[in-house]
Amino acid sequence: MRAWLTDKVNGGLVRVFLIVVGLFWLVPTVGLLVSSLRSPEDMNASGWWKVFSEPSQLTVDSYRKLLENGDITDSLLNTVLITVPATVLVVVIGSLAGYAFAWMEFPGRDWWFLAVVGLLVVPVQVALIPIAELFGRLGLFGSTLGVILFHVGFGLPFAVFLLRNFFAEIPRELLEAARLDGAGELRLFFRVVMPLGGPAIASLGIFQFLWVWNDMLVALVFTDADSQPITVALQTQVRQFGNNIDVLAPGAFISMVIPLAVFFAFQRQFVSGVMAGAVK
Amino acid sequence: MQSATGAAKAPRHRSVTGTRKTVAALFLLPALVLLGALVVYPIGYSVVRSFYDQSGDGFAGVDNYQALFTDDGIRTALKNNVIWVVFAPTVATALGLIFAVLTERVRWGTAFKLVVFMPMAISMLAAGIIFRLVYDQDPDKGVANAVWVGVHDTFAESSAFPKAHPGRKSPLVAENGGFVTGATVRAGDPVALPLVGVAPDQLPDGAKRAVAARAEPGKVTGTTWQDFTRGKGVGTLGAPDPDELGYAGMRIEAVEDGKVVASTKASADGTFTLPASADGARLRLPASNFTEPYNGLDWLGPSLVTPAIIGSYIWMWAGFAMVLIAAGLAGMPRELLEAARVDGANEWQVFRRVTVPLLAPVLAVVAVTLMINVLKVFDLVFIIAPGSSQDDANVLALELYRKGFAEDQPGVASAIAVFLLLLVIPVMWFNVRRLRREVRR
């Protein structure tokens, strides 16, 4: 009886605790969303929570102004133009290498693979100055291609690591059967390995997509005013935070919409990508 | 984890296709070229560059490394990085563990996990903007201070008249932060306690037009009000005019020989009444009426900025710890927990003696991953720390960016880069060793 009672009380406490923590985690984001839906005048006059007593304050004016702002829309487009190729390239190049490491024979194969794994934890900061100098010489500095290449380079160790391990699990018989049917190396890769690697490729794709979409540092160094993504466009406004809240709040929210949509749509793949990347 | 630990009894390393080496090379070429040019070459370049001076022409020996320990900016960054590496991973891992264990006991655990994990999906820039808002100094804007001030004011009363002071011809003189009448008061003789200096929008919401108090036999009556009317020479000094508002809620004490004999609060029109015991005393408006309102903590000021930003990091990454630990929990042998319970262990003992030790490897992986991640933290500091306290919030990754791209000191910046790389080499070695065992089978 007493144990039953303590169980009930503890269960109640656990619930209350988790609800409080959950609110704690939600409030900051709700604050941003509400702030993006108020006029700058209202933002200056009172806290965003006032909106709950005066719902009439809600307005999409900031969003309308933002979408009429050419700099912001251009930078959003740039984000897409950087993220999509950087993701596709990492998946394709990573798959090719992952397959070679898993199923081809060549001297020093395992050592090469271990070397790639070693590169997993290299901080991007190490490459900023050397690559800036290199891109300067090659005329890639400030170009979209430059940023894409950088993201591909730093996305590859994880891609190769993840895909090689996944491809190695493909049953040998499947590959041999396809081989006996006369499939060549390329056909084997595109028709058998890539489709079977679907789950791992999805995890990798989502992971890389979010990684590049959310990046600010690399783009801050390598893009110029014409090629900058949304993160860089927004950070220029941060120095005057109070005055630019009507750009920053809706801008930040718009930049979050796609990652959040991807996150909610592909939670499982995202989680398995995160777990596989726990060493990155 | 997607691992390579398969049932590989047959020698799976033999190629099924009898690959020629050229084909293998073609499959590998794009990846190896990009990795070589974009990851390996920069490591070498940084190491070499760190031994040359800022222009890159002269050999500088270890000067750039010496700067790591002598340059004020870098030293602050180093100190802050130590704080980051010690606190951020531990707190995030601890919270992740608590959340993972507790969510197993409620039906809506998945929903909770989703909420806590969600910040992982957004950019550090967006998180930075979110927390810049949270930490706004003004309690009417930043939710952190709104809550903090709310809690504070529940326990300590705030005052309504911070800047009030006697104007010309006021009977009041300053004393210990408050004001006291120069002369004693008498029952039946209304007192005027005029002050000036409260901004109109700062007056208490209920304040009404001030009226002169009526004399009451056997009682001390009076008015305290804002003796100021906009416009030069308008109204009379020392008496309430039609546009002047009463100091609603002002606290008034009657003091005799240093002791408070009676006290009251002014009503909305500024009038007050004290009992006969106040007869012959001086009236005092105590200091509590005039203290500055509490404005909360300066979250982004020099002393709190690093803990504040660490807080935002934990908001982003506790979910990561939670999800990995929850996966570890799910794979734990339940019989062990049940056995411990049957043996009479309470929940805390089960947690402490069984769950945590069994999870130790997972906890280690989570903590190490977070440490590597924390070493590289840049965006959050760059965005959240305002210009005025960015020096105090400095971290190595930010200092590297500043030295390399704002202050044109690529030599020092390269030394910082090499230093960061050295810090992650143990993890690199650990990863390779762990994988070598798997690959070699």
Side-chain angles (χ1 to χ4, degrees), chain B residues 4-372:
Chain B
T5 55
K9 281 164 200 114
R12 75 138 131 29
H13 291 297
R14 181 118 41 76
S15 165
V16 276
T17 54
T19 327
R20 280 159 306 176
K21 281 174 192 146
T22 42
V23 178
L26 283 176
F27 270 71
L28 285 170
L29 199 65
L32 293 184
V33 166
L34 285 170
L35 281 170
L38 295 159
V39 187
V40 178
Y41 157 76
I43 295 176
Y45 182 98
S46 289
V47 172
V48 173
R49 189 68 186 81
S50 66
F51 291 105
Y52 281 83
D53 63 9
Q54 306 319 323
S55 68
D57 299 328
F59 188 73
V62 293
D63 284 4
N64 291 323
Y65 289 93
Q66 231 157 34
L68 289 183
F69 303 98
T70 51
D71 181 293
D72 279 345
I74 305 179
R75 280 175 56 179
T76 317
L78 260 175
K79 191 198 79 194
N80 284 333
N81 259 95
V82 171
I83 297 176
W84 270 91
V85 170
V86 170
F87 289 101
T90 10
V91 177
T93 311
L95 284 178
L97 176 62
I98 293 170
F99 296 167
V101 170
L102 292 185
T103 43
E104 283 206 319
R105 297 155 157 248
V106 291
R107 249 175 291 130
W108 36 270
T110 318
F112 176 88
K113 280 186 194 156
L114 210 58
V115 166
V116 176
F117 194 56
M118 184 218 47
M120 280 269 328
I122 68 173
S123 64
M124 291 222 173
L125 166 98
I129 292 173
I130 286 175
F131 275 86
R132 197 63 189 262
L133 263 169
V134 167
Y135 289 134
D136 200 297
Q137 160 79 71
D138 184 347
D140 282 336
K141 288 184 194 162
V143 74
N145 261 348
V147 172
W148 186 261
V149 169
V151 171
H152 179 275
D153 286 355
T154 318
F155 296 103
E157 220 172 316
S158 69
S159 78
F161 314 100
K163 296 234 157 55
H165 57 88
R168 282 184 298 143
K169 293 194 196 165
S170 175
L172 291 161
V173 292
E175 187 200 74
N176 296 334
F179 303 101
V180 68
T181 53
T184 55
V185 294
R186 253 183 305 164
D189 194 359
V191 205
L193 302 176
L195 291 171
V196 296
V198 183
D201 59 338
Q202 297 288 310
L203 278 167
D205 289 339
K208 288 190 192 147
R209 261 192 56 201
V211 294
R214 262 178 304 180
E216 276 184 60
K219 285 183 176 170
V220 174
T221 57
T223 314
T224 178
W225 80 102
Q226 171 109 315
D227 191 18
F228 178 78
T229 313
R230 235 169 236 292
K232 239 183 187 157
V234 181
T236 33
L237 280 177
D241 294 316
D243 284 338
E244 294 172 353
L245 293 174
Y247 282 151
M250 176 79 82
R251 188 172 173 78
I252 296 130
E253 293 172 349
V255 189
E256 213 162 8
D257 302 329
K259 267 188 291 182
V260 177
V261 291
S263 71
T264 184
K265 274 186 174 181
S267 56
D269 56 8
T271 57
F272 58 90
T273 312
L274 285 162
S277 56
D279 186 54
R282 289 167 200 271
L283 295 190
R284 180 165 73 185
L285 307 176
S288 64
N289 289 314
F290 307 109
T291 51
E292 288 289 336
Y294 183 67
N295 247 334
L297 295 172
D298 190 7
W299 296 101
L300 302 179
S303 50
L304 282 180
V305 64
T306 296
I309 302 174
I310 291 179
S312 68
Y313 178 89
I314 288 166
W315 179 79
M316 284 194 85
W317 285 85
F320 167 83
M322 175 188 70
V323 166
L324 260 84
I325 294 168
L329 270 178
M332 232 167 49
R334 297 280 134 172
E335 314 86 71
L336 275 176
L337 302 186
E338 281 315 310
R341 287 197 186 105
V342 169
D343 286 350
N346 63 31
E347 283 307 306
W348 170 248
Q349 287 168 324
V350 172
F351 175 75
R352 183 71 193 72
R353 308 274 162 166
V354 186
T355 312
V356 172
L358 281 175
L359 279 178
V362 180
L363 296 178
V365 167
V366 170
V368 169
T369 307
L370 289 177
M371 278 179 192
I372 300 179

Side-chain angles (χ1 to χ4, degrees), chain A residues 25 46-47 109 118 126 214 239 278, chain B residues 13 46 121 140 315 369 382 428:
Chain A
W25 245 259
S46 56
R109 177 182 66 180
V126 173
N214 288 335
R239 291 292 148 246
Chain B
H13 291 297
S46 289
D140 282 336
W315 179 79
T369 307
F382 189 71
M428 197 185 269

